[in-house]
Amino acid sequence: MITFRELRDIQKQEREKAELSKVPPTFYKDCREYITKTTEEYKKTLDPLQRRLISNSVDIIQEINNCRYDKIVHAAATGKEIKNMVGSERNLYDDLNETFTDYKKSIHNPQELKEIGE
């Protein structure tokens, strides 16, 4: 299972690097399990520090997800291949890349532009 320290390390890498950081293939599943386990522990103790840990962890996971999402969208928009995608990130990239490619073709069709210029 993932730890808070690992989440912070991944967050730092995602902030500092232009490419996606390498995460376990089960990263998102691991995050859900971590939050579930931490929440269960909090319910047993009602420790305010545990509650803060949950809140901070959720914020970090959301930031990691947003950073990765932005990088994937940018790569798909530019047609750049991207490494270290996990889970449904590959589907997101492929779908976006296809959509951007179709869009570019529809507005930048060289034959159509040539006909307009005649």
Side-chain angles (χ1 to χ4, degrees):
M1 181 168 59
I2 202 156
T3 65
F4 184 80
R5 179 79 256 149
E6 290 171 320
L7 287 174
R8 293 285 289 150
D9 290 345
I10 294 167
Q11 177 190 38
K12 183 178 184 212
Q13 291 172 16
E14 290 297 344
R15 284 179 175 171
E16 294 175 353
K17 292 183 178 182
E19 66 275 355
L20 293 177
S21 61
K22 189 162 177 64
V23 296
T26 57
F27 174 70
Y28 293 109
K29 177 181 176 268
D30 294 346
C31 289
R32 283 189 301 274
E33 288 174 357
Y34 170 76
I35 294 299
T36 299
K37 181 177 182 240
T38 308
T39 301
E40 288 170 359
E41 290 171 6
Y42 167 72
K43 288 178 181 178
K44 292 176 186 173
T45 64
L46 298 179
D47 179 358
L49 293 177
Q50 190 75 7
R51 179 66 188 118
R52 179 173 285 173
L53 176 66
I54 295 166
S55 178
N56 290 343
S57 297
V58 167
D59 290 346
I60 290 167
I61 292 166
Q62 287 176 336
E63 182 180 348
I64 292 168
N65 187 48
N66 289 340
C67 286
R68 294 178 72 83
Y69 174 82
D70 290 345
K71 292 174 187 181
I72 291 167
V73 169
H74 183 265
T78 59
K80 177 183 164 193
E81 190 57 39
I82 191 167
K83 295 180 182 178
N84 298 324
M85 288 183 280
V86 297
S88 61
E89 291 174 345
R90 169 51 69 186
N91 293 338
L92 174 63
Y93 173 85
D94 290 341
D95 290 348
L96 287 172
N97 185 267
E98 182 179 335
T99 299
F100 283 122
T101 300
D102 290 347
Y103 171 74
K104 288 173 187 175
K105 285 179 184 175
S106 74
I107 63 168
H108 298 297
N109 182 332
Q111 182 61 34
E112 186 177 299
L113 293 176
K114 183 179 176 184
E115 291 170 7
I116 292 172
E118 293 177 348

